[in-house]
Amino acid sequence: MINTPKYPVSHEDRLLVCQEEVEGPVQVIIDRANMHGWTTLETITAMEEVLRNLRIAYDDDPAPAEDPPPADSGDANDFGAFPSADRLVKAYVAEREKP
């Protein structure tokens, strides 16, 4: 479980406290991956890549939940686009294509 911040955004220890709060859940992910046959290094490397791509997507659109919903096409099977996911995929592909 991650607790709410103890300090305001401007406090010098806020990032350190955030790191302490997310460390437990991250370790749980690593442990679960290990139990399913992934090595710790593989898991950490994969997580680094996922986090890098999330950072790129966040830089592109820091508040995807605030994006306006797509226009209704009238098709009951059309669930619309998921802009943040599309941008994440594009960012991932762009990053992988870098020399």
Side-chain angles (χ1 to χ4, degrees):
M1 184 168 105
I2 297 176
N3 295 310
T4 57
K6 298 177 188 178
Y7 304 114
V9 174
S10 60
H11 194 279
E12 64 183 24
D13 290 336
R14 184 177 167 104
L15 182 59
L16 177 62
V17 172
C18 184
Q19 291 170 5
E20 292 169 351
E21 289 295 325
V22 301
E23 184 176 356
V26 166
Q27 189 61 52
V28 168
I29 293 170
I30 293 169
D31 292 345
R32 287 182 181 171
N34 290 160
M35 288 188 296
H36 286 91
W38 300 99
T39 68
T40 298
L41 185 56
E42 286 175 314
T43 305
I44 291 171
T45 301
M47 291 171 70
E48 288 171 339
E49 187 72 20
V50 167
L51 290 171
R52 188 176 307 114
N53 291 327
L54 287 172
R55 168 68 84 165
I56 291 167
Y58 178 82
D59 287 345
D60 187 40
D61 187 0
E66 295 174 8
D67 290 348
D72 185 3
S73 68
D75 180 352
N77 295 316
D78 181 6
F79 297 104
F82 297 94
S84 60
D86 292 342
R87 282 192 278 277
L88 179 59
V89 170
K90 287 178 185 174
Y92 175 78
V93 170
E95 188 68 24
R96 297 291 254 181
E97 292 176 349
K98 285 185 178 178

